[in-house]
Amino acid sequence: MAVLEVNGLKKIYTTRFGGNRVQALTNVSFAVERGEYVAIMGESGSGKTTLLNILAALDRPTEGEVWLNGRALSSVSEKEIAAFRRQNLGFVFQDFNLLDTFSVQDNIFLPLVLAGRHYPEMNQCLRPIAEKLGITDILQKYPYEISGGQKQRAAVARALITAPQIILADEPTGALDSRASDSLLSLFGEINREGQTILMVTHSTKAASHAGRVLFIKDGVVFHQLYRGGATNEEFFRRISDTLTAMATGGANA
Ligand SMILES: Nc1ncnc2c1ncn2[C@@H]1O[C@H](COP(=O)(O)OP(=O)(O)OP(=O)(O)O)[C@@H](O)[C@H]1O
C-alpha cells in the first residue's frame, strides 16, 4: 500500500510583482510504498527542495495533489496542518535543527510536548529509541556539547519518537564527516529494515546507494528511476554514478 502518492505536481514561483515566473516542478508523479527507502537525486536547482516543501505541507503546489496515508494534503486546513505534520511526518535536516537551549532529551521530546503528551509516556517512548541510537549517555547534554554525528542521531530520535508514517530527510549526511555519514546511513538502513518508510533527498551517491530505489529529477519531472534489486551497495553505487554521468552528458534514460 502506498504511504505517499504524488500526482502531477507542478510548481510555478511568481515574484511579488508577477514579473518573473520560475517553473520549479513541471509534472512530478510517484508513489512510495509502506516500508520503502527511496532516495531523490537531481542537480542543484532541479526542484528537490521545492518537492520536499510540498510533501511536508510547508508549501502548496500550483497543480497536482499529494496523498499521505490516504489523505489529500489539500484537504488539510491551515488550522490542522501543524498537528497533521506532527502525527504523520518525521523530519531530518542537513543542519540538524536542534534547539541549542534545550537538552538532547528535551529536543527529542519536543514533538510529543507539542502533542500534549505527559512525561512518563514520553519517557517510555524515548528509552528504546535512545538505546537503539546509542545516545542514552548524552540525553542530558546540550547540542553544543556533542559531535555532529551525535546531533544527527538526536535529530533521528526526534523524528522517530512520534512513530511517523514517513521520514523526510533533506541531505541528512551533508554536514557529517565520512565516519559519521557511514554510521547514519547504517542507522537509516537498520530503521528501514525494521519497517520505517524513508524518503531522502541527497546529492551523495554514497547515501543514495543505501536506498532501495533512487528517483532522478531533471527539468521538473522524474526523469529516471533505479531499483536496487539484489545489488550490493557497491554495485548500486556504480549504477547510480553511471546514471548521473549519463544525465549530465545529456544521455536519455540511462
Ligand atoms: N521561493 C522561490 N521563489 C522563486 N523561485 C524559487 C523559489 N524557490 C526555488 N526557486 C527556484 O525553483 C527552482 C528549483 O529550486 P529548488 O530549491 O527546489 O532546487 P533544488 O533541487 O533543491 O536545488 P539545491 O540542490 O541547490 O538545493 C530553481 O530554479 C530555484 O531558483
Side-chain angles (χ1 to χ4, degrees), residues 57-104:
L58 293 168
D59 199 359
R60 302 236 183 226
T62 309
E63 277 176 30
E65 185 60 275
V66 177
W67 280 272
L68 184 61
N69 206 21
R71 172 122 193 238
L73 290 191
S74 64
S75 75
V76 183
S77 69
E78 287 297 325
K79 237 174 82 183
E80 290 175 277
I81 204 90
F84 180 83
R85 213 180 274 131
R86 216 166 41 232
Q87 281 155 14
N88 291 286
L89 300 170
F91 295 98
V92 178
F93 303 94
Q94 174 168 355
D95 50 5
F96 324 123
N97 280 19
L98 297 172
L99 299 177
D100 268 335
T101 52
F102 279 28
S103 67
V104 167

Side-chain angles (χ1 to χ4, degrees), residues 23-147:
Q23 179 143 344
L25 301 176
T26 308
N27 184 359
V28 170
S29 300
F30 63 92
V32 176
E33 300 297 317
R34 193 171 297 285
E36 258 199 301
Y37 182 178
V38 177
I40 295 185
M41 300 192 84
E43 286 180 355
S44 185
S46 60
K48 302 180 300 296
T49 305
T50 301
L51 175 62
L52 263 193
N53 286 343
I54 294 172
L55 300 183
L58 293 168
D59 199 359
R60 302 236 183 226
T62 309
E63 277 176 30
E65 185 60 275
V66 177
W67 280 272
L68 184 61
N69 206 21
R71 172 122 193 238
L73 290 191
S74 64
S75 75
V76 183
S77 69
E78 287 297 325
K79 237 174 82 183
E80 290 175 277
I81 204 90
F84 180 83
R85 213 180 274 131
R86 216 166 41 232
Q87 281 155 14
N88 291 286
L89 300 170
F91 295 98
V92 178
F93 303 94
Q94 174 168 355
D95 50 5
F96 324 123
N97 280 19
L98 297 172
L99 299 177
D100 268 335
T101 52
F102 279 28
S103 67
V104 167
Q105 173 166 299
D106 288 343
N107 267 286
I108 299 170
F109 280 163
L110 197 58
L112 298 181
V113 171
L114 293 171
R117 307 279 193 86
H118 296 296
Y119 181 79
E121 189 192 346
M122 295 198 295
N123 207 28
Q124 226 174 18
C125 294
L126 174 62
R127 295 300 141 190
I129 293 174
E131 198 71 15
K132 180 172 37 202
L133 270 57
I135 54 170
T136 305
D137 293 346
I138 56 160
L139 288 176
Q140 303 314 323
K141 294 200 173 189
Y142 286 82
Y144 55 82
E145 298 176 305
I146 61 178
S147 71

